[in-house]
Amino acid sequence: MDLASLTLVIVELAQAAGAEIMQIYHSADFTVDRKQDNSPLTAADLVSHQTIVAALQELTPQYPILSEESATLDFAERSQWTTYWLVDPLDGTKEFIKRNGEFSVLIALIHQHEPVLGVVHAPALQKTWYASLGNGAYLQVAQAEPELLSTREPSELVTIVGSRSHAGDSLPAFLQQFENYELISMGSILKACLVAEGKADFYPRLGLTSEWDTAAAQIIVEEAGGAMQDLNGQALKYNSKDSLLNPHFIVSGSQHYFDKTLDN
């Protein structure tokens, strides 16, 4: 199966996991547990994880799977992987709990430390963004025909998208360098998808994220003409170190904005 065809299969898988999530989302009530790092965990996280992992194991038994809800794997084992699946079964659990719809299913295929396939599915919004290396980036809304995505050119009014639940103090300080901007607040990695769509110019993430939070969106942004780079201007890499935490990064639709932030 070629990469483009595989991507469409993964789109269907992400949508199937999203349907499982929505059953719990629309239920009268659901419990919220806490993981060791005090982050929230719901039945939706677990059912999505189980759905995705079972399907990927059947589809590509040759590729290992690293999911946020998997058991922790030592780097000594992971470092031997050339190609593997990287999954966040429910990105934006806090937004899920708030029932604001801004959460997503993330599935990425990593090859030699770089994402080569990515799907971001927001089930409550009925939107699916997807891309694979060399095949462009697309947005499908409900059952409509997919739309080819492209980032937008710089303009005088800069549209910046920021975290709804993790803004902290860093973002306001960062924004002081811009004289004319508008800020959109949104949960999950959907912020990066807005950049890929050309609806925002860039998204600065000046806080901690994990590798499963970013990989799927990174290839979508890149195939749309943008970049997801650390503060040294390097594209994010995967499974290259013991820690699974990302450095601070900026998602930009145009190199112009990334260069501007570094100048300041």
Side-chain angles (χ1 to χ4, degrees), residues 1-17 51-52 54-60 85 105 107 117-119 121 128 130-132 140:
M1 188 182 302
D2 61 50
L3 202 55
S5 299
L6 179 60
T7 304
L8 296 180
V9 174
I10 301 305
V11 165
E12 292 182 356
L13 173 56
Q15 292 172 344
T51 298
I52 293 168
L56 291 179
Q57 286 175 335
E58 182 175 352
L59 178 67
T60 54
W85 294 104
V105 177
I107 306 176
L117 179 163
V119 175
H121 174 58
T128 308
Y130 62 92
S132 59
Q140 182 180 33

Side-chain angles (χ1 to χ4, degrees), residues 197-262:
E197 283 186 60
K199 292 183 177 178
D201 293 299
F202 70 94
Y203 156 44
R205 182 55 193 249
L206 308 176
L208 294 179
T209 57
S210 296
E211 292 186 0
W212 45 70
D213 294 318
T214 56
Q218 182 171 341
I219 183 66
I220 294 169
V221 170
E222 291 173 346
E223 285 293 313
M228 183 180 289
Q229 300 168 306
D230 65 25
L231 300 188
N232 294 316
Q234 299 299 310
L236 297 190
K237 298 293 184 183
Y238 296 86
N239 197 32
S240 61
K241 59 188 188 306
D242 181 61
S243 173
L244 289 168
L245 294 176
N246 290 316
H248 294 181
F249 63 86
I250 293 175
V251 179
S252 55
S254 166
Q255 189 67 27
H256 165 82
Y257 292 114
F258 184 84
D259 294 341
K260 179 178 174 58
T261 61
L262 291 188

Side-chain angles (χ1 to χ4, degrees), residues 100-117:
N100 67 15
E102 296 174 358
F103 51 87
S104 55
V105 177
L106 311 181
I107 306 176
L109 183 65
I110 309 298
H111 179 65
Q112 294 183 343
H113 310 293
E114 297 179 357
V116 295
L117 179 163

Side-chain angles (χ1 to χ4, degrees), residues 12 14 21 37 135 144 158 164 171 182 198 203 213 252 260:
E12 292 182 356
I21 288 171
D37 63 359
N135 295 310
V158 183
R164 192 182 295 284
L171 183 59
E182 62 175 348
Y203 156 44
D213 294 318
S252 55
K260 179 178 174 58

Side-chain angles (χ1 to χ4, degrees), residues 2 11 62 67 97 110 135 145-146 170 177 192 194 215 248 250 253:
D2 61 50
V11 165
Q62 70 273 31
S67 167
I97 293 167
I110 309 298
N135 295 310
E145 283 296 311
S170 300
Q177 65 190 287
L194 281 188
H248 294 181
I250 293 175

